[in-house]
């Protein structure tokens, strides 16, 4: 049986989908996340929704998790020591010498992951061309290693100047560390990143050391539990830059999985946009704790080659997903200035919103939606029946503090949350010079369909497409995450015939390194990119290189023309200057078989449709909303209505119409007035 199991961990729920490639059968389910032991939530989901026979015969288990991300955000990782070249001890704090918030007089840069007392120096120097300027002082290095061991560090990061050009000194330091008896993890910068920029490479190396132990332990526990259930297939985890990697690869390169969780939804959205021919699409993934958004253009997510988490750069491919602390569990509260705020604090999985009846007493976004009737009959995933009286009681505490009625506070909670989410969506559109009003909104996650109309109103959008499996769409996206392995290395040289020959030689080396790391050329397809810029510039653009086998298939003139086209599209013009390469990027992609959504025939609608009194934001009052099961929609339906399905609830305000699409989607259009 060619079956894939996908599990995505969220702050409140853990989502699962399994897909049978032979029959097209798809089964979805949700269980509460177990915050203190996330692998338990995964196993609970598998045991609750996947038959033992399917587990045993499944080909792939694909996983998205925020374990590494949360370790960074919560600063709960390894005790790391850093060995840096003499004179570069403070690069983590000197950074780039700029301010992330230029006009904020109270801005403070985040504290370094490694305090200064655990950042020690190694005498010795490699030059930018790879030549040795001064050898490593072994006795001084041994003394530094012993000092770090005296701090009882769990891991040591080694980031020596220009190690990307020549790793000789880092390899010697690694040897000395082991000779001194250190048994913890060692992260060498040249193995983590083959690119220059000392601060960024050091930051990435330290992050790798910081999350390595926690991620490795988590993946080992999870894989052991899966094998105990009878799973014999390949276990994969999504990469920050899209695609997936084996659990073993993730243990060796955990920094590549920092954004593993949000990437599944972006991948699924890209696949969906290509299938429907949508040129410009914005995702709105609203979970219990966070809101994630990404821009999909021409069926592809926007990929960066450096990410940033809490002010710390990570030098790896990175799908441009913007995240904020806003979701179904986001708590409403009154700040010191007497204004109502929503989030970033969240009720999470425990105790959850007040209406879940699990002990929560503070008002969450879900409480506001439940009180306003936006969740229809109030039967949610995992067997949760909403307690509307508890929502009212929780909201009343904020209403009393503001001197407002509960209805006003509840609508305010929804609008404030929508405005915060809309701000994140503007970052990937308006701030990039793009107009979201002509784009399509793709909402998913447990609360994405609930917020869809409010988000469309906030950005002036006129079309919403609700994908199949909306509540578990990130898990669906995981099932299409091809196995991807990538490597990059700095190469600063003029782009001429000699420079292109150097790029080709380096590409060959990088592709062989990927094979040594486990890439399977008989099953995988190679691809390559060059980072290019005009001579004298600081930053670069990445340009795709067509390949013939593993050889670059176009000449210098064609590459320069491709760069000029990309430069003009990005900056509105070109320069009459020499083009130079900055880095070579190589990738092997082992594609998984395509998936098809099996669209069942609509079921008969109830003879007497149910309804609920719910608040219409378009009309500013409560009114009857029809309750419509998603699987009964066969033609055009006019709002206001509430569409129910297994894992999410779609709120359709007055002024919108719904119709079914050919691939199991629902298409919402704003009525012309």
């Amino acid at each position: 049986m060619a079956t894939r199991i996908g599990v995505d961990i969220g702050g409140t729920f853990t989502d699962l989908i399994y897909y049978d490639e032979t029959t097209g059968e798809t089964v979805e389910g949700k269980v509460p996340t177990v915050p203190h032991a996330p692998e338990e939530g995964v196993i609970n989901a598998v045991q609750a929704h996947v038959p033992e026979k399917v587990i045993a015969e499944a080909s792939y288990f694909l996983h998205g998790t925020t374990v590494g991300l949360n370790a960074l955000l919560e600063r709960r990782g390894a005790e790391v020591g850093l060995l840096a070249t003499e004179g570069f001890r403070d690069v983590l704090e000197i950074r780039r010498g700029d301010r992330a918030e230029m006009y904020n007089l109270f801005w403070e840069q985040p504290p370094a992951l490694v305090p200064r007392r655990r950042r020690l120096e190694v005498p010795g120097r490699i030059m930018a061309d790879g030549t040795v300027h001064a050898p490593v002082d072994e006795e001084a290095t041994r003394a530094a290693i012993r000092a770090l061991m005296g701090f009882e560090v769990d891991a040591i990061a080694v980031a020596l100047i220009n190690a990307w050009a020549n790793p000789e000194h880092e390899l010697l330091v690694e040897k000395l560390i082991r000779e001194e008896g250190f048994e913890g993890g060692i992260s060498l910068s040249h193995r983590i990143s083959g690119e220059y920029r000392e601060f960024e490479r050091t930051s990435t190396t330290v992050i790798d050391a910081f999350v390595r132990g926690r991620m490795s332990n988590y993946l080992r526990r999870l894989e052991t539990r899966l094998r105990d259930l009878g799973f014999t297939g390949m276990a994969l985890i999504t990469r920050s830059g899209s695609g997936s990697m084996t659990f073993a690869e993730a243990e060796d390169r955990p920094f590549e999985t920092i954004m593993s969780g949000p990437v599944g939804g972006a991948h699924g959205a890209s696949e969906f946009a290509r299938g429907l021919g949508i040129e410009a699409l914005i995702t709105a993934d609203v979970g219990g704790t966070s809101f994630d958004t990404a821009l999909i253009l021409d069926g592809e997510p926007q990929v960066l080659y450096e990410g940033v988490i809490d002010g710390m750069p990570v030098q790896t491919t990175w799908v441009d997903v913007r995240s904020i602390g806003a979701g179904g569990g986001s708590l409403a509260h009154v700040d010191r200035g007497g204004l109502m705020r929503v989030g970033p604090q969240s009720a999470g999985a425990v105790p959850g919103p007040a209406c879940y009846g699990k002990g929560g007493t503070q008002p969450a976004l879900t409480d506001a939606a439940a009180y306003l009737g936006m969740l229809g009959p109030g039967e949610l995933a995992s067997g949760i029946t909403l307690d509307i009286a508890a929502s009212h009681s929780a909201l009343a505490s904020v209403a009393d503090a503001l001197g407002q009625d509960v209805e006003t506070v509840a609508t305010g909670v929804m609008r404030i949350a929508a405005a915060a989410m809309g701000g994140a969506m503007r970052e990937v559109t308006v701030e990039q010079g793009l107009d979201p009003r002509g784009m399509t909104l793709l909402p998913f996650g447990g609360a994405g369909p609930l917020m869809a109309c409010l988000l469309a109103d906030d950005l002036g959008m006129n079309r919403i497409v609700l994908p199949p499996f909306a509540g578990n769409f990130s898990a669906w996206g995981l099932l299409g995450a091809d196995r991807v392995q990538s490597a990059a290395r700095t190469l600063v040289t003029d782009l001429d015939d000699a420079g292109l020959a150097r790029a080709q030689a380096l590409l060959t080396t990088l592709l062989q390194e990927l094979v040594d790391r486990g890439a399977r050329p008989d099953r995988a397809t190679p691809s390559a990119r060059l980072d290019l810029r005009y001579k004298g510039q600081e930053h670069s653009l990445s340009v795709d290189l067509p390949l013939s086998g593993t050889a670059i298939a176009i000449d210098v003139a064609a590459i320069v023309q491709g760069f000029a086209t990309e430069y003009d599209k990005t900056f509105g013009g070109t320069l009459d200057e020499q083009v130079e390469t900055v880095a070579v990027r190589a990738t092997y992609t082992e594609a998984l078989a395509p998936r098809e959504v099996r669209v069942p025939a609509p079921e008969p609608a109830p003879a007497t449709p149910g309804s609920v009194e719910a608040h219409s934001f378009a009309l500013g009052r409560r009114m009857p909303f029809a309750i419509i099961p998603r699987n009964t929609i066969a033609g055009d339906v006019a709002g206001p209505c509430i569409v129910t399905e297994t894992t999410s609830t779609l709120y359709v305000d007055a002024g919108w119409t719904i119709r079914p699409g050919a691939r199991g989607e629902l298409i919402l259009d704003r009525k012309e007035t």
Side-chain angles (χ1 to χ4, degrees):
M1 179 185 294
T3 302
R4 303 176 214 173
I5 302 170
V7 179
D8 175 61
I9 298 179
T12 304
F13 288 106
T14 294
D15 300 340
L16 174 143
I17 282 187
Y18 77 78
Y19 171 75
D20 187 330
E21 295 177 12
T22 305
T23 66
E25 179 187 14
T26 305
V27 175
E28 57 183 328
K30 278 182 184 284
V31 301
T33 292
V34 182
H36 66 278
E39 72 277 5
E40 292 299 325
V42 175
I43 297 302
N44 292 342
V46 172
Q47 290 181 311
H49 298 287
V50 186
E52 290 184 10
K53 186 175 187 296
V54 174
I55 297 172
E57 298 180 354
S59 302
Y60 296 99
F61 175 86
L62 296 114
H63 188 36
T65 180
T66 56
V67 168
L69 176 63
N70 290 341
L72 280 176
L73 295 178
E74 298 167 4
R75 300 295 177 114
R76 293 197 307 169
E79 292 285 315
V80 178
L82 172 64
L83 292 176
T85 297
E86 190 173 45
F88 290 84
R89 176 185 186 185
D90 296 318
V91 69
L92 286 181
E93 290 190 273
I94 295 173
R95 300 163 63 87
R96 285 288 166 194
D98 56 2
R99 298 174 63 86
E101 299 179 26
M102 188 179 300
Y103 301 109
N104 181 358
L105 298 179
F106 302 100
W107 178 82
E108 295 182 5
Q109 69 182 37
L113 277 182
V114 184
R116 195 171 195 271
R117 66 182 180 278
R118 298 205 308 263
R119 302 195 306 259
L120 303 180
E121 297 182 339
V122 173
R125 185 68 178 263
I126 296 283
M127 303 300 285
D129 62 1
T131 59
V132 177
H133 176 70
V136 169
D137 183 329
E138 294 193 23
E139 285 306 310
T141 301
R142 288 182 184 274
I145 294 167
R146 289 193 291 268
L148 290 181
M149 292 174 65
F151 286 118
E152 298 184 351
V153 296
D154 304 309
I156 295 177
V158 182
L160 303 184
I161 189 76
N162 296 320
W164 58 271
N166 181 353
E168 175 185 326
H169 283 183
E170 286 195 347
L171 293 171
L172 173 59
V173 171
E174 180 185 41
K175 175 174 174 288
L176 297 177
I177 291 172
R178 291 305 185 203
E179 287 179 357
E180 289 297 321
F182 182 73
E183 297 179 353
I186 301 174
S187 295
L188 304 184
S189 74
H190 76 274
R191 290 177 183 158
I192 304 304
S193 170
E195 299 181 63
Y196 74 167
R197 302 188 188 280
E198 206 60 27
F199 164 52
E200 287 80 359
R201 186 161 51 86
T202 302
S203 172
T204 308
T205 307
V206 167
I207 286 172
D208 180 85
F210 187 78
V211 303
R212 180 181 291 268
R214 189 168 177 182
M215 179 63 77
S216 295
N217 291 336
Y218 167 73
L219 292 176
R220 288 172 186 172
R221 291 195 306 268
L222 177 56
E223 184 159 19
T224 298
R225 295 294 302 279
L226 289 170
R227 301 302 180 193
D228 290 344
L229 293 179
F231 175 70
T232 59
M234 181 179 289
L236 301 171
I237 183 170
T238 45
R239 303 167 66 250
S240 300
S242 191
S244 60
M245 60 201 307
T246 65
F247 279 17
E249 290 168 332
E251 287 186 41
D252 190 50
R253 301 177 66 79
F255 68 96
E256 289 194 25
T257 69
I258 297 299
M259 289 294 284
S260 167
V263 164
H267 186 278
S270 302
E271 186 179 42
F272 202 65
R274 290 193 296 270
L276 294 178
I278 300 173
E279 293 182 1
L281 179 150
I282 311 172
T283 68
D285 179 4
V286 190
T289 304
S290 64
F291 169 79
D292 303 315
T293 185
L295 176 65
I296 311 297
L297 295 177
D298 298 321
E300 296 295 336
Q302 306 308 290
V303 177
L304 308 175
Y305 295 95
E306 179 181 292
V308 178
I309 291 294
D310 196 22
M312 298 175 287
V314 187
Q315 223 171 28
T316 185
T317 52
W318 197 271
V319 173
D320 189 10
V321 179
R322 308 297 172 93
S323 302
I324 62 171
S330 294
L331 296 174
H333 60 281
V334 179
D335 67 14
R336 288 182 293 179
L339 299 176
M340 184 168 69
R341 305 287 184 186
V342 181
Q345 299 84 5
S346 174
V350 179
C355 59
Y356 283 8
K358 296 182 178 180
T361 57
Q362 294 179 275
L365 183 146
T366 301
D367 290 307
Y371 179 76
L372 294 172
M374 298 173 68
L375 292 169
E379 298 289 337
L380 300 187
S382 300
I384 294 174
T385 300
L386 299 180
D387 184 342
I388 307 302
S391 290
H392 180 277
S393 177
L395 290 163
S397 63
V398 174
D400 291 343
L402 294 172
Q404 300 282 349
D405 61 81
V406 172
E407 185 89 2
T408 300
V409 168
T411 57
V413 168
M414 301 303 296
R415 288 194 181 279
I416 290 170
M421 296 174 190
M425 295 168 71
R426 287 183 178 86
E427 288 183 18
V428 299
T429 54
V430 176
E431 293 185 15
Q432 308 299 320
L434 301 171
D435 188 348
R437 291 175 294 183
M439 299 181 180
T440 298
L441 176 65
L442 189 81
F444 53 90
L450 174 72
M451 300 296 298
C453 288
L454 282 168
L455 294 175
D457 289 344
D458 190 74
L459 275 77
M461 302 175 73
N462 296 311
R463 171 159 290 186
I464 301 168
V465 174
L466 186 74
F469 323 118
N472 288 20
F473 189 70
S474 287
W476 171 257
L478 296 177
L479 298 183
D482 301 331
R483 186 182 175 194
V484 174
Q485 292 163 296
S486 63
R489 190 161 301 160
T490 291
L491 176 65
V492 180
T493 185
D494 287 353
L495 181 57
D496 51 22
D497 289 339
L500 184 58
R502 292 181 65 194
Q504 176 61 66
L506 181 53
L507 173 62
T508 301
T509 299
L510 293 175
L511 289 172
Q512 183 57 49
E513 286 182 9
L514 294 179
V515 172
D516 295 342
R517 275 168 39 189
R520 303 186 286 191
D522 57 324
R523 303 185 185 186
T525 302
S527 60
R529 302 182 73 89
L530 277 183
D531 287 6
L532 301 172
R533 67 187 180 191
Y534 288 113
K535 202 160 189 175
Q537 292 184 325
E538 166 67 7
H539 298 289
S540 61
L541 291 175
S542 188
V543 176
D544 183 56
L545 294 178
L547 297 181
S548 175
T550 59
I552 299 170
I554 55 177
D555 60 15
V556 170
I559 297 173
V560 169
Q561 181 57 51
F563 169 69
T565 300
E566 191 68 26
Y567 196 93
D568 181 62
K569 184 170 69 174
T570 304
F571 300 110
T574 59
L575 302 178
D576 187 19
E577 300 288 345
Q578 170 69 41
V579 176
E580 66 178 5
T581 71
V582 178
V584 179
R585 303 184 184 278
T587 302
Y588 265 117
T589 302
E590 187 174 324
L592 301 183
R595 294 160 296 138
E596 292 292 335
V597 177
R598 187 174 63 178
V599 183
E603 297 182 7
T608 306
S611 67
V612 65
E613 286 287 319
H615 183 85
S616 167
F617 290 87
L619 302 178
R621 58 183 172 84
R622 287 201 181 231
M623 61 188 300
F625 276 61
I627 305 297
I628 304 173
R630 178 170 181 164
N631 57 6
T632 66
I633 297 176
D636 289 1
V637 176
C641 63
I642 293 170
V643 179
T644 60
E645 58 180 305
T646 307
T647 58
S648 66
T649 301
L650 171 65
Y651 170 85
V652 183
D653 207 345
W656 290 87
T657 60
I658 315 171
R659 57 187 170 88
R663 293 175 175 261
E665 75 277 11
L666 292 180
I667 302 168
L668 283 70
D669 289 306
R670 194 189 299 274
K671 294 179 186 176
E672 294 184 6
T673 57

